[in-house]
Amino acid sequence: MQDKAKNIGLVLQGGGALGAYEAGAIRRIYELGFRPEILTGTSIGALNAAVLAAPKYGEPHETLLEMWEYLGHEHPFPLFQQYNTAYTSLGHPRFFRLNNTLFGMSRHNSIYDISPALDTMRRFIDFDRLNDAGTATVVVTATNVVSGEIERFSNRTHTLTPEHIMASGALPPSFPPIEIDGEHYWDGGIYDNTPIQSLIRILDEHEVEHLPIFVVELFGALGDVPKDLGQSMDRMTELVYEDKFWKAFEGHEGAYGFAEMLWELEQSVPENAEVRNNPAFDALMRLRAVSHIFTIPAERAALRNVIDFSPTTIRSRIESGYDAANYTLGKEAFRINYILHNRLNGEAGPLPVTGNDASGTPQRAQKAS
């Protein structure tokens, strides 16, 4: 049985080929001894989460890296490597292929057929294991095409299949909507590309108080004024799919302040107060977990062009994700260890905020052991 003292929650964004960055970050997370007990992901993040929870063979993070090596795809002629993106747009043999007619495209509701992706999932994910009661909790999100609402598919409430993972990544117009139980779904990132709330809403009281939550971002909020069409497309994609969870609190500082208030509120409400029986109070108190979120930020230099699956770019993104996780988790080591220490000792509550670091993230005073 794995050491529960090092368990974490893990939130993975969507972003196509940028998902290699998550694989690099996860490699460092595993090297440091952390293990996800709850994973939420959308699109490529859903695929990465499923591989981590139920690898077909080998260690989870190693199998994930092997999958990304398998997904490498580049122009067959070395002199034309600069056209990798255009080449991939014609299809990826292990991910997607053009629909079977050039002149009848209007008869299809997507550009590509996603059968290769389903085969890749079966190659790297043990779906029997994924749906076993002893496996970590996995939640993948998708957008209901008709209602426009988010759907959360969990291995605790559903029997997850390749179709569930693909539904989470079925970004239109490239990929067709995926039918599940009579409903049709598109990419979860259309609704919310950073499923933090999907994780927080299922935490129990012990997890709210004692579970560090790592979020791996693939899109950054800050950017530059574009100078050409390619940069305009990159910047638009960043703005559409960046992490918007914090904007509801007017930024990280506001979110941490809100969580601090909730910790104080929970302590001040008597145990026998009627309000504690109100489901809305329970949902509100789960947001205390915001104080335990650690973000591994996007590295803009590595994260451009969501369909660049060239092996060189994949390796570069893996290295960048690894370095970003190493830096962030090293910088936040005290806060993470404080939460884990409290988990062992049955204590609860965040560290007091004493100011902000250079990035604007609230810093907490160290308590004597």
Side-chain angles (χ1 to χ4, degrees), residues 11 17 126 208 253 326 344:
V11 179
D126 183 338
V208 167
E253 186 171 358
N326 185 56
L344 288 173

Side-chain angles (χ1 to χ4, degrees), residues 220-239:
L222 298 178
D224 305 307
V225 177
K227 295 181 173 60
D228 57 39
L229 185 59
Q231 290 181 10
S232 293
M233 293 297 295
D234 284 337
R235 186 62 187 142
M236 182 198 72
T237 302
E238 286 178 331
L239 292 174

Side-chain angles (χ1 to χ4, degrees), residues 194-271:
T194 316
I196 295 173
Q197 186 60 46
S198 294
L199 186 145
I200 289 176
R201 69 191 297 273
I202 62 172
L203 297 177
D204 62 29
E205 180 64 19
H206 188 264
E207 291 161 343
V208 167
E209 295 182 350
H210 302 297
L211 188 70
I213 300 168
F214 296 172
V215 178
V216 185
E217 293 185 341
L218 299 179
F219 299 98
L222 298 178
D224 305 307
V225 177
K227 295 181 173 60
D228 57 39
L229 185 59
Q231 290 181 10
S232 293
M233 293 297 295
D234 284 337
R235 186 62 187 142
M236 182 198 72
T237 302
E238 286 178 331
L239 292 174
V240 169
Y241 295 111
E242 63 163 317
D243 183 353
K244 295 182 174 65
F245 176 81
W246 308 97
K247 296 186 184 301
F249 305 96
E250 299 187 357
H252 285 72
E253 186 171 358
Y256 279 100
F258 182 78
E260 294 280 350
M261 178 272 294
L262 293 180
W263 284 102
E264 294 175 8
L265 177 63
E266 199 280 334
Q267 292 295 317
S268 68
V269 175
E271 288 295 327

Side-chain angles (χ1 to χ4, degrees), residues 120-361:
T120 294
M121 291 178 203
R122 296 184 184 97
R123 181 186 182 100
F124 290 96
I125 301 169
D126 183 338
F127 281 91
D128 289 335
R129 179 178 175 184
L130 180 61
N131 293 294
D132 186 88
T135 299
T137 298
V138 176
V139 180
V140 301
T141 63
T143 304
N144 188 299
V145 176
V146 175
S147 72
E149 296 295 324
I150 190 172
E151 179 70 39
R152 299 176 175 95
F153 298 109
S154 169
N155 60 348
R156 295 293 172 261
T157 57
H158 299 77
T159 299
L160 295 184
T161 66
E163 286 72 21
H164 289 93
I165 310 302
M166 193 61 237
S168 183
L171 184 65
S174 295
F175 303 141
I178 304 299
E179 183 177 359
I180 298 173
D181 296 331
E183 300 285 343
H184 291 80
Y185 297 96
W186 269 333
D187 195 297
I190 297 173
Y191 186 98
D192 178 13
N193 198 45
T194 316
I196 295 173
Q197 186 60 46
S198 294
L199 186 145
I200 289 176
R201 69 191 297 273
I202 62 172
L203 297 177
D204 62 29
E205 180 64 19
H206 188 264
E207 291 161 343
V208 167
E209 295 182 350
H210 302 297
L211 188 70
I213 300 168
F214 296 172
V215 178
V216 185
E217 293 185 341
L218 299 179
F219 299 98
L222 298 178
D224 305 307
V225 177
K227 295 181 173 60
D228 57 39
L229 185 59
Q231 290 181 10
S232 293
M233 293 297 295
D234 284 337
R235 186 62 187 142
M236 182 198 72
T237 302
E238 286 178 331
L239 292 174
V240 169
Y241 295 111
E242 63 163 317
D243 183 353
K244 295 182 174 65
F245 176 81
W246 308 97
K247 296 186 184 301
F249 305 96
E250 299 187 357
H252 285 72
E253 186 171 358
Y256 279 100
F258 182 78
E260 294 280 350
M261 178 272 294
L262 293 180
W263 284 102
E264 294 175 8
L265 177 63
E266 199 280 334
Q267 292 295 317
S268 68
V269 175
E271 288 295 327
N272 62 351
E274 183 64 27
V275 71
R276 287 186 177 273
N277 298 321
N278 190 322
F281 181 83
D282 183 56
L284 182 64
M285 288 301 106
R286 284 198 188 96
L287 287 173
R288 289 175 293 155
V290 167
S291 63
H292 296 165
I293 294 176
F294 303 87
T295 298
I296 298 170
E299 175 56 58
R300 294 194 73 222
L303 299 178
R304 299 288 180 88
N305 198 336
V306 298
I307 63 168
D308 184 355
F309 284 89
S310 66
T312 299
T313 301
I314 285 176
R315 285 192 293 269
S316 175
R317 288 170 177 161
I318 289 172
E319 291 172 4
S320 294
Y322 181 97
D323 291 343
N326 185 56
Y327 174 78
T328 298
L329 301 183
K331 182 183 69 173
E332 301 286 11
F334 175 79
R335 289 182 60 210
I336 296 169
N337 289 330
Y338 178 84
I339 297 167
L340 295 174
H341 172 80
N342 283 349
R343 183 179 185 124
L344 288 173
N345 290 278
E347 302 168 0
L351 285 169
V353 174
T354 60
N356 297 336
D357 67 8
S359 68
T361 300

Side-chain angles (χ1 to χ4, degrees), residues 41-94:
T42 194
S43 198
I44 201 67
L47 175 57
N48 285 343
V51 173
L52 275 184
K56 199 71 171 280
Y57 52 84
E59 292 297 315
H61 61 297
E62 293 175 354
T63 302
L64 185 62
L65 291 171
E66 287 183 27
M67 183 189 75
W68 278 98
E69 181 179 354
Y70 178 76
L71 289 176
H73 179 58
E74 64 185 352
H75 201 289
F77 300 107
L79 294 178
F80 296 94
Q81 295 306 307
Q82 66 269 33
Y83 301 113
N84 264 323
T85 300
Y87 180 67
T88 302
S89 69
L90 297 176
H92 186 312
R94 293 172 290 281

